[in-house]
Amino acid sequence: MFRLCGRFKRHFSLRPVSPVRQFAQSNIQLLDSNDKFEEETLPWYTQDRFYPVKIGEIFQSRYQVIGKLGFGGYSTVWLCRDLTQHKYVTLKVFERDSAEGKREVEAYERLNACRASHAGAMFVRTALDSFQIGPVGGLYQFLVHRPLGISLYDLRTQFTAKLLPEKLLKMTLLHVLLALDYLHTEAGIIHTDIQEKNIMLGIDDISILADFEQAEKSSPSPRKIVGDRVIYSSRKLTGTKLHGQPILCDFGQARFGSTRYCGDIQPYIYRAPEVLLRMSWDQKVDIWNVGVVAWDLFQKGHLFYARDPMKQNSDANHIAEMIALLGPPPQEMLQGSSYSTNFFDTEGIWKGAVQIPLKTLDQLEGNLHGKQQQLFLAFIRKMLQWRPEERNTARELLSDPWLTSP
């Protein structure tokens, strides 16, 4: 027996329900059932952890699955047709009893309770609906969203140099910082996972959604069948030049309130110093995160690689790279971290676990010259500070001279 329960208020249309879509059951490319495919390639994948969504399936007597958009570490994402509201939506389906799913729901409940008058509210993704399905052994969390287009990563890679132009970077950062100011000052949310793939562009050309549906009908996605479970190939939305505004997404790693937290967060190369040194942290980790992402969007190569010669994640290499770019960390900061004794002596001197690279921000910056370069570097330094309290807030950064220059 399966249980169903909803979390957000839903608005039903008085118009007739859209007809149920019919999808081809022939001319389907079947893949070798012995080969791992899509979400099956995740190291922690098991059949019972991921809900077996099927194309054509209808949830809540309302959302019919059109096709698979993709998968992440803890979820699959599907384009659906809302049969009552006569529009396309996306359905995010979390693995069973997902902590990330619970955090996302809490984040959207907080956002729904906030005033929408803040300018940053329109650049933060919200949920249209939420429900759960599950047998006695656990619950699967479902979230319904307005569809979004490509990620910032996909946009960047479309350019010849694989970098965002300066003007586009400024516009993107203005939107992201507005979103962060809204999250930090009104919603009480620390995102903790800001990266290119978690910033997506709105869809101004909705014909690409109808094209997706037609493509699934005329050329069904390749798939593999194992028992009563189907693993589908993801299908990309067709290309368009009419991209909407950047939207900050994915709150599965979010934290809430003014509490200071401990523990690992953030994609490894984007981790703030206090996270690396295993200290408590607050919303200023998001500011560090934006600074590193901004650099990576605009420069060739990452700002930090944090890898040892064996290509493994390395705290020692990561901290050494920070020292090269920022100078040594403050002594009082090291005194607050017992983990720092692995890398520094009692006087705050680097023990030499690895060699400190010979590089500076000025040497690494390769796109600008003269005053614009100095303004850009000053902007980055406002975010990349050892001490969290010395980093600018999102609101302060919005008036930065480089960011606001033509």
Side-chain angles (χ1 to χ4, degrees):
M1 179 65 67
F2 280 75
R3 297 180 287 163
L4 294 91
C5 57
R7 295 293 296 273
F8 299 116
K9 183 177 180 181
R10 298 187 292 276
H11 301 280
F12 293 92
S13 172
L14 297 178
R15 296 165 57 191
V17 174
S18 293
V20 173
R21 269 59 173 170
Q22 301 299 322
F23 293 91
Q25 300 301 315
S26 59
N27 297 322
I28 294 173
Q29 179 185 355
L30 294 180
L31 305 175
D32 190 331
S33 61
N34 294 314
D35 293 337
K36 289 187 177 181
F37 182 57
E38 295 265 315
E39 59 267 24
E40 291 181 306
T41 60
L42 297 170
W44 50 87
Y45 175 87
T46 59
Q47 285 194 4
D48 63 327
R49 290 181 69 167
F50 282 75
Y51 187 90
V53 178
K54 290 184 173 65
I55 291 176
E57 186 172 3
I58 299 174
F59 293 97
Q60 303 289 81
S61 302
R62 179 176 184 180
Y63 307 115
Q64 185 178 19
V65 179
I66 301 299
K68 186 178 181 182
L69 290 166
F71 71 97
Y74 306 96
S75 62
T76 54
V77 182
W78 308 79
L79 183 68
C80 296
R81 186 71 179 175
D82 183 340
L83 301 177
T84 66
Q85 292 291 311
H86 311 279
K87 62 184 181 182
Y88 292 102
V89 295
T90 58
L91 190 66
K92 186 172 186 178
V93 186
F94 288 91
E95 66 174 359
R96 188 187 63 190
D97 295 329
S98 167
E100 288 74 15
K102 292 174 183 177
R103 287 197 189 105
E104 286 238 35
V105 169
E106 183 175 351
Y108 292 125
E109 287 176 340
R110 282 177 167 264
L111 292 169
N112 286 348
C114 283
R115 294 174 298 159
S117 57
H118 191 290
M122 68 178 67
F123 309 122
V124 174
R125 196 173 209 181
T126 54
L128 301 173
D129 195 2
S130 172
F131 58 93
Q132 294 175 323
I133 298 177
V136 176
L139 289 171
Y140 298 95
Q141 181 69 55
F142 290 66
L143 281 170
V144 181
H145 299 283
R146 292 184 180 86
L148 291 175
I150 64 174
S151 71
L152 209 56
Y153 170 82
D154 294 322
L155 178 66
R156 176 177 62 79
T157 56
Q158 289 179 3
F159 291 95
T160 303
K162 310 299 182 186
L163 302 172
L164 290 189
E166 183 182 9
K167 185 175 181 179
L168 182 56
L169 174 66
K170 289 179 181 178
M171 182 197 73
T172 301
L173 291 174
L174 283 168
H175 289 114
V176 171
L177 290 170
L178 278 168
L180 268 189
D181 184 56
Y182 171 58
L183 293 180
H184 290 172
T185 64
E186 297 211 8
I189 295 176
I190 311 171
H191 191 282
T192 84
D193 192 21
I194 299 169
Q195 54 180 303
E196 292 174 273
K197 293 183 178 180
N198 287 344
I199 302 169
M200 302 185 73
L201 304 182
I203 295 176
D204 284 351
D205 179 9
I206 61 173
S207 69
I208 65 175
L209 303 176
D211 291 344
F212 182 101
E213 178 178 352
Q214 184 55 44
E216 186 59 46
K217 289 178 178 178
S218 61
S219 179
S221 299
R223 64 202 64 179
K224 59 176 283 189
I225 300 176
V226 182
D228 62 352
R229 178 177 291 266
V230 183
I231 307 294
Y232 296 92
S233 175
S234 300
R235 183 188 295 275
K236 290 184 177 294
L237 294 170
T238 55
T240 177
K241 294 183 179 180
L242 297 175
H243 298 298
Q245 296 169 324
I247 306 294
L248 186 57
C249 306
D250 290 297
F251 293 90
Q253 300 297 328
R255 303 295 190 274
F256 309 104
S258 56
T259 305
R260 293 190 67 85
Y261 290 90
C262 294
D264 288 342
I265 52 166
Q266 302 178 301
Y268 197 82
I269 61 172
Y270 297 145
R271 284 185 179 172
E274 60 270 31
V275 178
L276 279 179
L277 292 171
R278 303 183 184 181
M279 304 172 69
S280 65
W281 47 264
D282 60 15
Q283 64 191 29
K284 286 298 185 71
V285 295
D286 284 344
I287 301 300
W288 175 278
N289 207 159
V290 170
V292 184
V293 170
W295 182 278
D296 285 1
L297 288 169
F298 192 50
Q299 304 294 325
K300 292 182 178 179
H302 294 298
L303 186 58
F304 301 110
Y305 287 91
R307 293 293 186 105
D308 63 20
M310 301 301 293
K311 304 298 181 183
Q312 300 295 316
N313 291 338
S314 165
D315 289 350
N317 287 77
H318 203 167
I319 295 169
E321 289 177 307
M322 290 182 178
I323 294 172
L325 301 182
L326 309 180
Q331 177 72 356
E332 66 271 19
M333 186 175 185
L334 296 178
Q335 291 172 350
S337 165
S338 59
Y339 185 59
S340 70
T341 58
N342 291 289
F343 312 104
F344 300 90
D345 65 20
T346 56
E347 301 299 320
I349 305 300
W350 182 249
K351 288 183 177 180
V354 300
Q355 187 173 359
I356 296 173
L358 297 175
K359 61 181 182 180
T360 66
L361 281 178
D362 297 65
Q363 291 169 341
L364 292 177
E365 203 295 309
N367 279 347
L368 299 172
H369 304 280
K371 183 178 179 181
Q372 279 300 102
Q373 183 186 62
Q374 294 310 307
L375 287 174
F376 172 72
L377 292 174
F379 171 72
I380 293 296
R381 289 186 175 107
K382 290 177 182 179
M383 295 177 278
L384 302 187
Q385 293 288 328
W386 285 105
R387 295 185 181 92
E389 61 272 18
E390 293 183 1
R391 296 172 205 152
N392 277 200
T393 64
R395 185 167 298 183
E396 289 168 338
L397 289 164
L398 285 167
S399 59
D400 175 81
W402 173 79
L403 194 61
T404 56
S405 63

